[in-house]
Amino acid sequence: MHHPVDRRRFVAASASALALPACTARTSRVASTPPAPACLPRVLVDRSRVIRTVAGLRPYRASGFVVRREALGDKALVHNYGHGGAGITLSWGTSRLAVDLGLPGHSGPVAVIGAGIMGLTTARLVQEAGFAVTLYTAALPPDTTSNIAGGQWSPYGHFSRNAVTPQWREQFAKALDYSWRRFQIMVGDDYGVRWLPTYVLGDDGPNPSDPPDPYHPGNRALSKAEHPFPFEQVSRFDTMYVETGRFLRELAEDVQIAGGRFVVRRFNTRDELQALPERLVFNCTGLGSHALFGDVELTPIRGQLAILLPQPEVRYAFTGEGYMFPRADGILLGGTFERGQWDATPQPADIDRILAEHQRMFGGWRCA
């Protein structure tokens, strides 16, 4: 059942980090006894609590994502693909860049190829600009690669520092800024977006000599008394998390409410795209661009997840020794980055390793 259209009107909203559950501090009469670490609910990691396992293929390019316009016969073709592990994070931003390249001077309906996160955000921005849109796609949510993404708003694993150009870095900065602001006004249960405190385990925390990072608010190193993790170095910042299944479902519904059409179709050649009736085509095919457009630099990086039964009391995330993201649809445990793997099938040995690593980590929990 469709929701009323006015539920889709974005309103500016202030977003703040969700508070952690309260914890009673323990004190001691012995002055030399260190204070107990700040409490966080322990994730219950056990094979019996696994509700599903999944594997997704990140579309990685060492030289970064592609947002570029070119001719396709008598049509205009705008690419928006190759986001590695930063697809959710950059989605609204690179789609904004793509739309700004494609729409000026255009009239008539628009085609978007692909219905993952890039296709859906591109389609919504096209509609917001007043154009009719048709999404042609081989797969619909929940069967897209984007549905498997963990959903942390923090760019990761999407380029090599030595391979990108200053022009690409400028695109990246613009995309990051727009996406950061766009997601903030979508926070709430409707789209499954919320703020969470996030702990970084190990030495990847903030460098005191670096300028403040606007995309990691509250980023600071913690003392051992401020956390229960069995690590010497831990830092903390706040960011947004997206329950990707819910988010993509709602976006697809938004597209339909605004008059968009979905056509299930797979394209094998550029000539098939050229035969479409629309004169402006946005390519949001992700890894599909490897074969469809001959982008041999594009390579998959497989990420595997073990999803545990939900624990609503867990309202924090961490990265470092693997990662843990809590969502309403389950506790996500991850930790693989497998370059060149085209098989999107969970590997039992890797899933066992992910579970064992998290069991060891929570086994050293310094909190009653």
Side-chain angles (χ1 to χ4, degrees):
M1 182 176 72
H2 286 170
H3 302 290
V5 174
D6 56 2
R7 190 172 74 86
R8 299 286 178 235
R9 298 291 182 255
F10 293 120
V11 295
S14 61
S16 59
L18 296 177
L20 293 174
C23 180
T24 303
R26 294 181 295 173
T27 60
S28 172
R29 296 181 180 180
V30 180
S32 61
T33 301
C39 284
L40 293 170
R42 187 195 306 259
V43 174
L44 305 176
V45 183
D46 188 84
R47 164 66 66 176
S48 66
R49 296 182 62 81
V50 175
I51 55 176
R52 64 186 183 277
T53 61
V54 295
L57 306 181
R58 306 174 178 102
Y60 176 79
R61 300 178 80 256
S63 61
F65 61 75
V66 176
V67 176
R68 185 183 69 243
R69 176 174 174 148
E70 62 182 62
L72 180 67
D74 61 349
K75 302 180 188 298
L77 173 67
V78 180
H79 296 289
N80 182 17
Y81 70 88
H83 297 77
I88 297 293
T89 301
L90 293 173
S91 56
W92 285 110
T94 62
S95 296
R96 176 84 270 163
L97 297 179
V99 166
D100 288 348
L101 276 180
L103 291 184
H106 175 73
S107 61
V110 171
V112 173
I113 313 301
I117 185 63
M118 294 302 158
L120 293 173
T121 52
T122 297
R124 285 297 297 130
L125 291 173
V126 166
Q127 290 177 320
E128 289 174 10
F131 294 84
V133 65
T134 297
L135 287 93
Y136 299 90
T137 180
L140 292 165
D143 297 320
T144 71
T145 297
S146 297
N147 280 88
I148 300 173
Q152 182 192 54
W153 200 102
S154 189
Y156 169 77
H158 61 108
F159 71 98
S160 171
R161 293 182 181 276
N162 297 326
V164 296
T165 65
Q167 292 76 19
W168 182 88
R169 288 184 179 276
E170 184 178 347
Q171 281 189 318
F172 175 49
K174 290 179 179 178
L176 206 60
D177 178 68
Y178 183 80
S179 204
W180 175 245
R181 291 182 286 114
R182 184 77 185 219
F183 270 105
Q184 287 181 50
I185 61 173
M186 302 181 79
V187 169
D189 291 340
D190 282 358
Y191 291 97
V193 182
R194 61 174 175 162
W195 288 87
L196 287 176
T198 301
Y199 295 84
V200 179
L201 313 182
D203 58 3
D204 290 335
N207 186 330
S209 63
D210 291 340
D213 181 354
Y215 303 117
H216 291 82
N219 194 13
R220 66 183 182 91
L222 301 179
S223 70
K224 291 190 72 171
E226 294 179 285
H227 69 84
F229 296 96
F231 289 86
E232 290 297 321
Q233 294 177 286
V234 175
S235 58
R236 178 195 186 281
F237 67 94
D238 295 292
T239 194
M240 291 171 283
Y241 286 80
V242 181
E243 187 181 331
T244 50
R246 181 185 300 186
F247 186 77
L248 294 169
R249 182 179 66 245
E250 294 300 300
L251 271 189
E253 187 172 324
D254 288 349
V255 170
Q256 292 179 305
I257 287 172
R261 295 194 306 133
F262 288 86
V263 175
V264 177
R265 178 178 176 182
R266 183 181 297 275
F267 295 92
N268 298 306
T269 68
R270 292 171 63 104
D271 289 342
E272 293 173 340
L273 292 176
Q274 200 169 332
L276 291 174
E278 296 86 0
R279 297 182 61 82
L280 173 60
V281 179
F282 288 94
N283 167 38
C284 303
T285 57
L287 271 177
S289 293
H290 183 279
L292 186 57
F293 294 100
D295 188 339
V296 295
E297 183 186 350
L298 191 63
T299 188
I301 294 184
R302 185 168 65 191
Q304 301 183 54
L305 296 173
I307 296 98
L308 307 178
L309 284 165
Q311 286 183 247
E313 74 277 14
V314 176
R315 296 173 58 155
Y316 65 94
F318 68 76
T319 65
E321 293 290 316
Y323 60 85
M324 184 281 295
F325 302 159
R327 301 195 323 205
D329 60 332
I331 300 281
L332 276 61
L333 304 181
T336 69
F337 198 79
E338 306 163 73
R339 191 184 302 268
Q341 293 289 341
W342 287 91
D343 181 10
T345 305
Q347 306 298 303
D350 293 322
I351 297 298
D352 287 343
R353 179 179 56 79
I354 290 171
L355 290 170
E357 288 175 351
H358 285 84
Q359 280 178 324
R360 283 194 297 271
M361 200 275 293
F362 284 105
W365 209 238
R366 299 182 301 109
C367 186

